Structures are given as C-alpha cells and as structure tokens.
Amino acid sequence: MSENHSHPNTTPTTGTEPGPSRRWAGLAALVVALLTVGLDLMVLNVALPTLAQDLGASTTQLQWIVNAYTLVFAALMLPAGGFGDRYGRKRLLLIGLVAFVAASAWAAFSGSTGSLIAARAVMGIGAAIIVPLSLGIPRSDLGNAGGSVRAIAGSRKAPFASTV
C-alpha cells in the first residue's frame, strides 16, 4: 500500500510549481492586505481629535469608534480561519478584502458617529477574515515565498498585540 504524497511545492490542480512572478505577486497582495489592517488600527488614534471636532463626538462615541473595529476583529478572527478551511481560503480572503475596502469607503464618507461606528464594525469583520486567511495560504500557493509572508506577519506583531 503506497500513499500519494505530493511534493509540497506543487499545486493540486496542475502538479507544477507556480511561476515566480505569480508567487511574488501573491505575496505582495497578502503583505498589502496585512499592512492595511495593521495601519487601520494605528491611524485612527491620530484622527480622533479631528473626528471629535468634525462629528461632535462625545468621549463615549470616540471609544466606540475605536473599539467597534477591535471588538469585532478579535471576536471573529478564530471563526474566520475555520470558515476559510471549510469554504476556501482564497474565496473568503477576497470577500474579506471587498468588505474591508467597502467599509473603509463607507467610513470615509460617513457623516455621523453612528454611521462611522457601524462602518468600523464592518471593517472589523473584513479584517478578521483577512488576517488568519492571509497567514493560512498554503505553501503550495506561494512556493518559497510562503515563508516570507509568515516572517513579515511575525515582524508585525506589535499592531496586533494591542488588539487581542
């Protein structure tokens, strides 16, 4: 009885290793997605005084603007990883990216604190999908670049450590 052990650097559909340009393009997309999520956690703190003035937000509302994102992000990160395993990491990662970008546009044009809080919560859903799935893309999809994305994510622990 012999078992079929495929080489870890091959794709399951074609049996060949992905080309270098495809691997590096995939790695660049994952790094940009993780960078966006990490930056969003930090940039809002700089904008809080302006938000308070422009939207007339109270201290409680400012706390909800910050924490709606963080709360949803932390609560959904683990289930999102499981859904990615079940329904496909790439498909769910694209859904997370679309949700994050759409919610970012919503937040940018929101005219009230309630709308901004809701947009930030939806951004948290997108971020919760992006982070575990971008780190879970199998080595077969990125080839030798797979270790690089894990190293980059590991070096970016500081922004995520403050959220979870």
Side-chain angles (χ1 to χ4, degrees):
M1 274 212 289
S2 68
E3 293 181 25
N4 184 10
H5 294 289
S6 63
H7 192 272
N9 287 334
T10 60
T11 59
T13 56
T14 62
T16 61
E17 187 173 331
S21 62
R22 181 181 166 133
R23 285 189 309 225
W24 289 107
L27 177 63
L30 293 176
V31 168
V32 167
L34 285 173
L35 180 66
T36 304
V37 170
L39 283 176
D40 188 68
L41 289 169
M42 294 181 286
V43 167
L44 182 68
N45 290 325
V46 174
L48 283 177
T50 305
L51 286 173
Q53 183 179 11
D54 291 351
L55 297 176
S58 68
T59 303
T60 303
Q61 289 171 325
L62 289 174
Q63 289 174 338
W64 271 110
I65 289 170
V66 172
N67 293 332
Y69 176 87
T70 308
L71 180 67
V72 173
F73 175 53
L76 296 181
M77 209 168 20
L78 186 61
F83 286 138
D85 291 340
R86 214 172 273 128
Y87 301 113
R89 290 183 184 109
K90 288 181 188 177
R91 179 182 310 151
L92 216 57
L93 180 62
L94 289 174
I95 290 169
L97 287 168
V98 168
F100 190 85
V101 169
S104 294
W106 177 17
F109 295 107
S110 62
S112 68
T113 55
S115 177
L116 181 56
I117 291 168
R120 296 277 302 160
V122 175
M123 288 172 70
I125 293 170
I129 295 170
I130 292 169
V131 170
L133 298 183
S134 63
L135 297 177
I137 298 293
R139 182 178 169 94
S140 63
D141 291 343
L142 294 177
N144 293 332
S148 301
V149 76
R150 286 173 185 80
I152 290 168
S155 68
R156 294 192 14 76
K157 278 186 183 176
F160 296 121
S162 65
T163 62
V164 181

